[in-house]
Amino acid sequence: MRSSPSCRTVTERRVAAGISSTGKRAVFEARGEIFTVPAEHGSVRNLTNTSGVAERYPAWSPNGRYLVYWSDRSGEYELMLRDLKEPEKEQKLTSYGKKYRYQPQWSPDSKKIAFVDQAMNINYLNVTTGNVVQIDKGKYMFEGNLRGFSVSWSPDSKWIAYSRGTENRLMSAIFVFNTETSRLSQLTSGYYSDHSPVFSA
């Protein structure tokens, strides 16, 4: 017998996923909910369980303690945090309002989160202070590029590196931003197609 849409499991609608630092559990976005799933033994947990609210792009902190994701509970997508020591509590980190935002990307020290928004603004948030800094603005980045946008954090969590388009519209260049001095630097010329950078440990 063919199953009806109401009987289908959420595994048919998995969108975003991540893994804990221990590798023992994974996190998934499915049907607008955030689930954690054991690698082998344990229970599947619906952390949000919010009918009528959509949660997107979960990201597990490197220290394994926190999960963040975007939620439209307020009517617009805001970044939410759950401390897994108290998973029943949810903390709102931003108050942006309109615009859509994409995959949160944690710093290695689990204190900062980088992300890009629909207007191509490249930002990072200090989790401790709640301060959001716009570090740059992308060029010619549309839906596919925004969904795939990624940064590389330095091992000491002070630098953010990424690739973005340049004025010539044909090539990209690599940029780095220092979170301590707020200095943005372009490292490559943009005459060649540069791929996303990776910091070495």
Side-chain angles (χ1 to χ4, degrees):
M1 180 183 293
R2 188 175 181 180
S3 62
S4 66
S6 61
C7 294
R8 292 174 186 166
T9 66
V10 295
T11 57
E12 297 177 16
R13 294 292 182 88
R14 288 173 296 174
V15 180
I19 193 166
S20 69
S21 57
T22 64
K24 293 181 179 180
R25 295 189 71 85
V27 62
F28 292 95
E29 167 203 331
R31 292 183 177 269
E33 303 280 13
I34 305 299
F35 296 85
T36 66
V37 180
E40 291 186 285
H41 307 293
S43 60
V44 175
R45 303 167 190 161
N46 184 342
L47 287 183
T48 49
N49 199 19
T50 48
S51 177
V53 176
E55 285 92 15
R56 308 290 186 208
Y57 298 112
W60 214 312
S61 65
N63 66 7
R65 180 169 174 177
Y66 305 105
L67 275 172
V68 291
Y69 48 87
W70 297 102
S71 170
D72 70 351
R73 181 189 296 275
S74 67
E76 301 291 344
Y77 281 99
E78 304 294 352
L79 192 62
M80 314 300 287
L81 178 142
R82 283 186 191 257
D83 184 338
L84 296 179
K85 290 186 175 181
E86 299 180 285
E88 70 283 354
K89 296 181 180 178
E90 184 181 63
Q91 179 184 352
K92 186 160 75 77
L93 297 179
T94 64
S95 297
Y96 269 128
K98 294 182 178 180
K99 292 193 184 77
Y100 192 74
R101 287 157 279 276
Y102 297 85
Q103 185 66 51
Q105 299 171 62
W106 284 95
S107 61
D109 63 4
S110 300
K111 294 180 179 179
K112 305 180 189 76
I113 301 167
F115 60 92
V116 67
D117 65 28
Q118 188 178 19
M120 300 183 288
N121 298 312
I122 302 167
N123 314 279
Y124 87 89
L125 177 143
N126 184 312
V127 176
T128 303
T129 65
N131 187 43
V132 178
V133 176
Q134 181 182 331
I135 66 176
D136 199 1
K137 190 176 181 70
K139 295 183 181 295
Y140 323 116
M141 288 166 39
F142 302 103
E143 182 65 15
N145 301 107
L146 292 168
R147 286 185 181 276
F149 179 78
S150 65
V151 306
S152 177
W153 283 95
S154 63
D156 61 6
S157 300
K158 294 179 181 179
W159 296 85
I160 304 171
Y162 55 91
S163 174
R164 70 156 174 83
T166 56
E167 297 292 346
N168 64 24
R169 297 181 69 102
L170 299 175
M171 300 298 179
S172 57
I174 292 173
F175 294 79
V176 294
F177 181 83
N178 187 311
T179 61
E180 292 191 342
T181 64
S182 297
R183 180 178 178 181
L184 177 67
S185 303
Q186 182 175 337
L187 294 188
T188 60
S189 65
Y191 288 114
Y192 305 95
S193 183
D194 293 312
H195 299 290
S196 297
V198 177
F199 280 107
S200 60

